[in-house]
Amino acid sequence: MTGSGPLIELRDIGLEVTSPVRTRILHPVTLEIRRGTVVAVIGPSGAGKTTLASIIGALQPPSEGSYRFDGREVLDRTRNQLARFRADHLGFVFQSSHLIEERSALDNVALGIVDPAVTRADGLARGLAALAHVGLDQIAGRRAADLSGGERHRVAIARALVKEPSLVIADEPTAALDQATGREILDLLGSVVDRGATVLIVSHDQRATDRADQVIRIVDGRFFGEGTTENTAEQR
Amino acid sequence: MTGGRLAVLARRVWAMTRDASASLLLRPGHTLGMISGVTVAVSSALASVVIADTQQAQVNLRFDLQRSAHVVVQAQSPTPRGFSEAGLERIAALDPVGAVGELSIWKPSARVSRSVPSPVVGAPLIVADPGGLRAAGATLQAGGTTGLLRGGGRFAWVGPQLAAELGVAPAVGGASSDSQILVEGVPFSVAGVLGDTDRGFGYLGRAVVVSRPAARRALGGNGTNVRLLAQVRPGSAQAVADYAVLAADPFAELTLTDATPPDGRRLLGNVGADLRLIGAALGGFIGLVGLIAVANTLMMSVHQRRRELGLRSAMGWSRTRVGLLVLTESGAAGLVAGILGSALGLGCASVWCWSHGWTLVMPPLLPLLVLAGGTVASLVGGVIPAFRAASTSPLTAMRS
């Protein structure tokens, strides 16, 4: 991280698709995300939360607007530069954790290190440290297929953290988890800011707002308000 | 490239190979499908070529005695003079040449009869000189020397079967009616009867042989089949033929061509080459099938791994790197298949040769060639799946 300003600045970012029919997925949004904060993007299913996260995660280009990350424009980069951007700055926790079933927890975490210059030994050491952070270093050698749902999400979080990204994007991290486990995962994600990262949690689960410093509410592709946990609770 | 960069490159290649190997090991069914196609191709190609080569060696051993001992050079342009003495001497001076001279077929079937009224028979009319007859291995059964063939006198030598058929014999101490024959209505004296000939010249047994000057003066024309015949040491025919064409006709007036009958070794060499070609074609065809198998299996694999590939892409892998991963997988599978196929093919060929009591013959570079071929085939099969993998959107990870 270089600057002291906002980590992310979105200006009139929107997405409209033209095929098969012209459809507005995300109406223009303007917002800023500060460094070292937990940001919750909430809204009902199909509201456009994941689309916004995809754009912020440089997985999908918007059809309009400007996106600056750490003060630098993101949208004028080539596909390879975007891949490099994701490798250098972003960590992802996907809804279904996306672990490679036959590999060990540690191997899955080490997969998050994209830089080919990192040696295998160094990668495994860093993977083990990341697993320790999520409390799973004792089961590092266990196959992903043998892990419980909560453990899988923890491993996915460790994989996102292993390269020490500036921003962690978690898409529906509590989906398909029981109440207690979901709470643990949200707490764990909330603690990531202690490592200096910014966390963006996309969820339709209102609990995601509990530890959020900033809450972005989206309904039907429209930016429906921004605020802290307290005033979002009032809107509810 | 500096040492540091080389080290980073080596580390990258090693990491990619390790990753690809891990992916292959994680999907044994797919990997086996890919490997088996290329393995069959490599093993069949190697076994076919090795068996063909071994067979060729066996054939060479057994046909050494059948190798050509004669050179035939034929003039394409009509010539009244035949071959020059100087040219023939140049050829005769070669070490492997035993005898050389003209042995041309003036007319394939000339009318021949006794001078007394008798039936007319058809017999080949040969124009030869003493060197040509010696080169054909012809001996004299009766009568005078073939040295008379050099002159222009009307003397003829007849084959033993024709002599018996016509009831003629060489004149002894002066002309007799038994020694007179008509060739195309022109009288000739029988100076001798030929005896045995080398294999391949049996037609001399029913032939009439005259000198070129005699044929030109008495019968007219140049003859239709002007040939030079040389008896050579077995194995030297090709070299002598190449030299003879130049030595007998240095100014290319006769337009000489090598008409030496192919020797057994060369013919069988061609058969061996054909066998190798068939083996290689068979290997190539099965290689194509293997290539398609690799492409098909990898396509399925890529389809099933869309989420994983999308995840890698989302985590920051470039398109090139994702494509290279799949390509490395296909190359690694091809390499393993090449090693397995080489061993299998060699094993099959060994068993085959052993069961026939043959000594296995194999070009030393063949295993390396088929190994490289298998790897390349597998890599080619992986190109389209690699493109497909590289085009996996990182969004797939988010949406799946």
Side-chain angles (χ1 to χ4, degrees):
Chain A
M1 272 183 278
T2 55
S4 56
L7 180 68
I8 292 169
E9 298 166 81
L10 302 182
R11 297 271 175 270
D12 297 322
I13 284 288
L15 179 66
E16 186 178 71
V17 294
T18 54
S19 176
V21 290
R22 184 181 290 269
T23 311
R24 172 59 71 172
I25 306 293
L26 185 67
H27 290 270
V29 177
T30 296
L31 60 88
E32 291 181 351
I33 293 175
R34 298 189 309 279
R35 298 165 197 277
T37 57
V38 177
V39 180
V41 180
I42 60 168
S45 295
K49 310 183 295 293
T50 299
T51 299
L52 179 63
S54 302
I55 292 170
I56 293 173
L59 302 177
Q60 183 176 21
S63 52
E64 62 206 296
S66 147
Y67 168 20
R68 296 174 76 83
F69 187 96
D70 204 11
R72 289 184 58 202
E73 181 60 50
V74 172
L75 301 181
D76 57 4
R77 302 183 195 192
T78 64
R79 204 165 0 202
N80 276 344
Q81 285 171 332
L82 286 175
R84 186 64 192 259
F85 166 68
R86 290 195 296 271
D88 290 345
H89 299 291
L90 306 184
F92 291 94
V93 179
F94 297 108
Q95 185 174 343
S96 53
S97 66
H98 290 358
L99 302 184
I100 299 177
E101 304 294 336
E102 298 83 356
R103 292 204 186 183
S104 69
L106 181 56
D107 274 345
N108 270 283
V109 174
L111 206 64
I113 299 172
V114 180
D115 185 357
V118 176
T119 63
R120 172 133 176 99
D122 193 19
L124 290 178
R126 284 163 64 174
L128 205 56
L131 273 176
H133 180 79
V134 299
L136 291 182
D137 49 330
Q138 299 300 315
I139 58 164
R142 195 180 292 176
R143 282 193 332 144
D146 299 332
L147 299 175
S148 68
E151 288 169 338
R152 294 170 67 85
H153 270 71
R154 284 167 180 266
V155 171
I157 291 169
R159 185 178 61 195
L161 296 180
V162 72
K163 61 183 173 185
E164 298 177 349
S166 313
L167 174 67
V168 174
I169 298 175
D171 183 32
E172 300 285 6
T174 59
L177 293 180
D178 59 53
Q179 288 281 329
T181 311
R183 169 66 61 193
E184 282 175 18
I185 294 299
L186 287 172
D187 287 346
L188 187 59
L189 282 169
S191 71
V192 169
V193 291
D194 301 338
R195 295 168 65 108
T198 301
V199 180
L200 182 76
I201 302 173
V202 174
S203 179
H204 63 275
D205 184 349
Q206 289 293 337
R207 289 177 303 170
T209 64
D210 290 354
R211 281 199 60 174
D213 302 300
Q214 183 181 0
V215 176
I216 298 165
R217 192 172 169 78
I218 295 180
V219 178
D220 291 338
R222 291 176 193 278
F223 183 48
F224 213 75
E226 186 183 5
T228 60
T229 308
E230 290 74 25
N231 63 28
T232 308
E234 286 167 14
Q235 286 176 21
R236 275 186 257 163
Chain B
M1 197 179 275
T2 63
R5 281 186 179 178
L6 267 179
V8 169
L9 182 67
R11 202 151 52 210
R12 286 182 179 192
V13 171
W14 172 238
M16 184 68 81
T17 308
R18 200 182 54 217
D19 226 341
S21 305
S23 291
L24 287 173
L25 291 173
L26 287 177
R27 298 169 190 82
H30 278 134
T31 306
L32 204 63
M34 279 195 285
I35 286 179
S36 57
V38 179
T39 300
V40 170
V42 166
S43 58
S44 59
L46 187 134
S48 304
V49 173
V50 168
I51 289 173
D53 276 6
T54 304
Q55 223 163 352
Q56 178 70 58
Q58 291 299 318
V59 162
N60 286 347
L61 271 176
R62 294 178 189 194
F63 279 78
D64 254 2
L65 295 176
Q66 299 294 319
R67 296 165 71 184
S68 178
H70 291 96
V71 165
V72 179
V73 173
Q74 187 168 336
Q76 302 298 310
S77 304
T79 170
R81 294 189 305 275
F83 299 99
S84 71
E85 288 287 330
L88 294 175
E89 280 167 11
R90 276 193 289 268
I91 298 167
L94 292 177
D95 180 55
V97 176
V100 61
E102 182 177 2
L103 188 80
S104 305
I105 299 173
W106 191 269
K107 199 168 183 182
S109 183
R111 288 177 289 111
V112 182
S113 65
R114 294 272 302 269
S115 57
V116 295
S118 65
V120 175
V121 298
L125 176 59
I126 306 298
V127 161
D129 57 23
L133 283 178
R134 273 203 311 280
T139 57
L140 266 182
Q141 194 183 84
T145 172
T146 51
L148 290 168
L149 277 169
R150 291 196 192 284
R154 290 183 183 178
F155 295 103
W157 285 257
V158 294
Q161 288 99 320
L162 184 63
E165 202 175 323
L166 295 177
V168 295
V172 180
S176 78
S177 62
D178 285 351
S179 66
Q180 298 298 309
I181 57 171
L182 297 175
V183 179
E184 294 287 297
V186 178
F188 279 82
S189 290
V190 175
V193 176
L194 300 176
D196 293 336
T197 58
D198 281 352
R199 197 167 134 151
F201 299 95
Y203 61 88
L204 288 177
R206 277 203 81 253
V208 178
V209 181
V210 300
S211 71
R212 172 167 285 276
R216 283 196 62 223
R217 280 184 204 153
L219 305 170
N222 298 319
T224 55
N225 187 297
V226 181
R227 297 185 311 166
L228 176 152
L229 178 71
Q231 186 190 45
V232 297
R233 215 163 39 220
S236 64
Q238 188 60 59
V240 172
D242 291 343
Y243 177 78
V245 168
L246 296 170
D249 184 27
F251 302 108
E253 291 165 346
L254 304 177
T255 327
L256 296 181
T257 56
D258 175 13
T260 305
D263 73 16
R265 179 181 280 248
R266 202 183 332 159
L267 276 178
L268 291 162
N270 293 342
V271 172
D274 289 348
L275 277 175
R276 289 188 76 176
L277 201 64
I278 290 168
L282 183 70
F285 176 72
I286 302 174
L288 189 67
V289 175
L291 185 151
I292 293 168
V294 168
N296 193 35
T297 313
L298 263 180
M299 281 295 251
M300 281 199 303
S301 172
V302 164
H303 182 73
Q304 287 175 359
R305 293 163 58 196
R306 277 175 60 80
R307 201 169 67 173
E308 178 205 324
L309 296 171
L311 172 72
R312 289 180 190 269
S313 185
M315 287 192 307
W317 280 43
S318 66
R319 282 159 58 95
T320 308
R321 195 170 162 193
V322 172
L324 275 177
L325 173 69
V326 173
L327 209 56
T328 308
E329 285 177 22
S330 70
L335 191 66
V336 172
I339 293 168
L340 289 177
S342 295
L344 186 66
L346 198 56
C348 289
S350 300
V351 169
W352 178 263
C353 294
W354 173 78
S355 67
H356 285 75
W358 297 345
T359 305
L360 186 130
V361 173
M362 183 177 66
L365 286 178
L366 184 63
L368 285 179
L369 279 176
V370 292
L371 189 65
T375 308
V376 168
S378 190
L379 277 172
V380 171
V383 167
I384 294 175
F387 269 110
R388 188 83 176 269
S391 64
T392 305
S393 165
L395 201 58
T396 311
M398 189 72 107
R399 296 290 184 191
S400 58

